[in-house]
Amino acid sequence: MKTIIAACSQNLSGSRASVQAALRTLLAVPWPSQRDVRSAFQLLAVLQWVLSFLLLGTISLVVLIYLLFTSFWLIPVLYLAWIIFDWDTPERGGRRLPCLRRWTVWKHFRDYFPVKLVKTHDLSPSHNYIIGSHPHGILCVGAFCNFITGSTGFEEMFPGIRSFLTTLAGNFRLPLFREYLMSGGLFPVTRRAIGYLLSQNGTGNAVAIVIGGAAESLSCRPGVTTLILRHRKGFVRMALQHGAFLVPSFSFGENDLFRQVVFEEGSWMRSIQQRFQKMMGFAPCVFYGRGITSSHSRGFLPYARPITTVVGEPLTVPKVQNPSREVVDMYHEMYIQALLKLFNDNKTKYGLSETDELHIL
């Protein structure tokens, strides 16, 4: 009996010692620093944004189709009825939710890169504006962060100005994704939608258009700044028809967020990309960024590179109901010269060298 008691006492002492050793080991592990916690929040903010834009619309569509063949079939039927009733809303000013634009997660999103907005001239609330956003990059991070979220202080820098951002019209046909886009202030890049904001929504509207579009993303790579702009004149015609001032803007660092496999002009892969882009409205780029667990691994998240969006001087545009080709060409050339000046005046301040040039195709 004494032997059993002694053995039990020895086991209890051993267990107590093991627990104490485990606790000492646990306490010896360094706790995450405030910097580590901030980095984790920033990474999660970017992750949810990327997943939302890449997967939210597709997953929502698949789920609703699946529910259609279950006992919950009434949910997709009612939502389909809602979409039909609400079909024109994206082209009639959308449905902005200021609380979503002020969402704290966008501050973490901003700080991940970080993204900065630079003002060079005032914008008067008594006019409307079309802001040309360059370059497109892969996911238009600079344009989204500055013109859709309130994290970089657009409304404080330009009092009385409401910013909007255009995107592919097809995105507003995807369930739930359309609500997500409208709540932030995005709307289709169509004449009807742009015209509504510039003519029936009062003054103080700044409509940002990524003019290069999907075609420009095919040439996106670090160290090369090529814009698709020479034959993109529809935004100038819209500005003239509504008397909206033209404002150039450039996001330095946008092309450094991903690495892309760029296929040369004339190659069969480039031809496939261009045909797909004409059919679907977006280009299937072959790109990669950093992984989720490590910045040294490959994945689909953008690299943490600083982005500085510089908003230039507004170009005064008269209201001309039916502008001639010559008038459109004249203001288009004036816009290009203003953009070149903006680029050359700021390139050395934000990571480029004096010899770097802006190529406009």
Side-chain angles (χ1 to χ4, degrees):
M1 188 69 179
K2 291 181 178 180
T3 304
I4 296 174
I5 294 173
C8 289
S9 299
Q10 189 175 3
N11 288 337
L12 287 173
S13 299
S15 300
R16 201 178 301 115
S18 298
V19 172
Q20 291 174 348
L23 287 173
R24 283 196 296 269
T25 303
L26 181 62
L27 293 174
V29 175
W31 288 88
S33 64
Q34 289 186 350
R35 181 179 179 181
D36 293 334
V37 173
R38 284 197 302 269
S39 297
F41 277 122
Q42 292 166 12
L43 187 66
L44 289 173
V46 174
L47 177 63
Q48 67 82 27
W49 179 78
V50 172
L51 291 178
S52 295
F53 269 83
L54 295 182
L55 299 177
L56 179 59
T58 303
I59 292 177
S60 299
L61 181 61
V62 171
V63 170
L64 287 176
I65 292 175
Y66 170 76
L67 291 177
L68 198 59
F69 299 94
T70 68
S71 57
F72 299 99
W73 60 269
L74 188 59
I75 295 176
V77 169
L78 290 175
Y79 186 74
L80 177 60
W82 162 252
I83 288 183
I84 294 174
F85 173 78
D86 197 53
W87 190 261
D88 291 333
T89 299
E91 295 191 325
R92 298 180 64 83
R95 229 180 350 257
R96 288 164 57 108
L97 294 178
C99 60
L100 185 64
R101 293 167 66 94
R102 295 193 297 267
W103 201 15
T104 303
V105 73
W106 300 131
K107 295 181 180 179
H108 298 301
F109 180 88
R110 172 200 64 195
D111 294 338
Y112 170 85
F113 298 96
V115 181
K116 181 182 178 183
L117 180 65
V118 175
K119 168 186 172 181
T120 61
H121 292 79
D122 290 330
L123 299 181
S124 171
S126 60
H127 300 288
N128 285 324
Y129 304 88
I130 291 180
I131 300 178
S133 179
H134 311 274
H136 182 284
I138 297 294
L139 293 178
C140 305
V141 172
F144 176 86
C145 191
N146 287 297
F147 302 129
I148 290 302
T149 80
S151 61
T152 57
F154 183 92
E155 294 180 353
E156 290 74 23
M157 288 187 188
F158 302 100
I161 303 296
R162 298 178 295 276
S163 60
F164 301 85
L165 179 63
T166 60
T167 186
L168 293 174
N171 289 331
F172 295 88
R173 305 298 177 247
L174 294 173
L176 299 184
F177 191 44
R178 69 191 294 274
E179 324 299 341
Y180 177 76
L181 295 176
M182 283 193 291
S183 64
L186 287 106
F187 64 97
V189 59
T190 62
R191 290 182 179 275
R192 182 184 177 191
I194 297 172
Y196 181 89
L197 289 175
L198 296 179
S199 62
Q200 300 183 49
N201 200 43
T203 59
N205 300 295
V207 180
I209 304 175
V210 186
I211 297 168
E216 193 172 277
S217 66
L218 296 177
S219 302
C220 168
R221 52 182 166 178
V224 178
T225 310
T226 302
L227 304 183
I228 306 297
L229 177 60
R230 188 66 64 182
H231 302 290
R232 300 287 175 98
K233 301 179 181 180
F235 73 102
V236 177
R237 183 175 296 276
M238 288 288 293
L240 286 163
Q241 289 173 341
H242 297 282
F245 291 8
L246 288 169
V247 183
S249 73
F250 196 93
S251 293
F252 294 91
E254 184 72 46
N255 284 351
D256 298 330
L257 303 183
F258 293 95
R259 301 291 182 267
Q260 181 180 185
V261 179
V262 178
F263 301 101
E264 298 299 326
E265 288 288 347
S267 65
W268 65 275
M269 280 299 295
R270 186 60 169 245
S271 177
I272 291 175
Q273 287 178 314
Q274 291 172 338
R275 289 179 182 177
F276 190 93
Q277 182 256 318
K278 289 180 180 179
M279 291 172 55
M280 304 299 295
F282 65 94
C285 302
V286 181
F287 66 92
Y288 65 89
R290 59 155 292 177
I292 297 176
T293 58
S294 171
S295 60
H296 301 293
S297 61
R298 292 188 179 183
F300 58 89
L301 294 180
Y303 291 107
R305 304 286 187 268
I307 303 173
T308 304
T309 301
V310 184
V311 179
E313 181 178 4
L315 177 64
T316 303
V317 176
K319 186 174 183 179
V320 182
Q321 189 64 38
N322 295 300
S324 64
R325 179 181 297 179
E326 291 74 22
V327 172
V328 172
D329 289 345
M330 180 181 71
Y331 280 95
H332 184 261
E333 185 59 31
M334 291 170 64
Y335 177 85
I336 290 178
Q337 294 305 316
L339 177 61
L340 287 170
K341 183 177 185 303
L342 178 71
F343 177 82
N344 291 322
D345 289 348
N346 293 277
K347 61 184 179 180
T348 57
K349 300 177 185 177
Y350 305 113
L352 300 181
S353 66
E354 189 64 46
T355 57
D356 284 327
E357 296 182 354
L358 185 61
H359 303 282
I360 298 179
L361 302 179

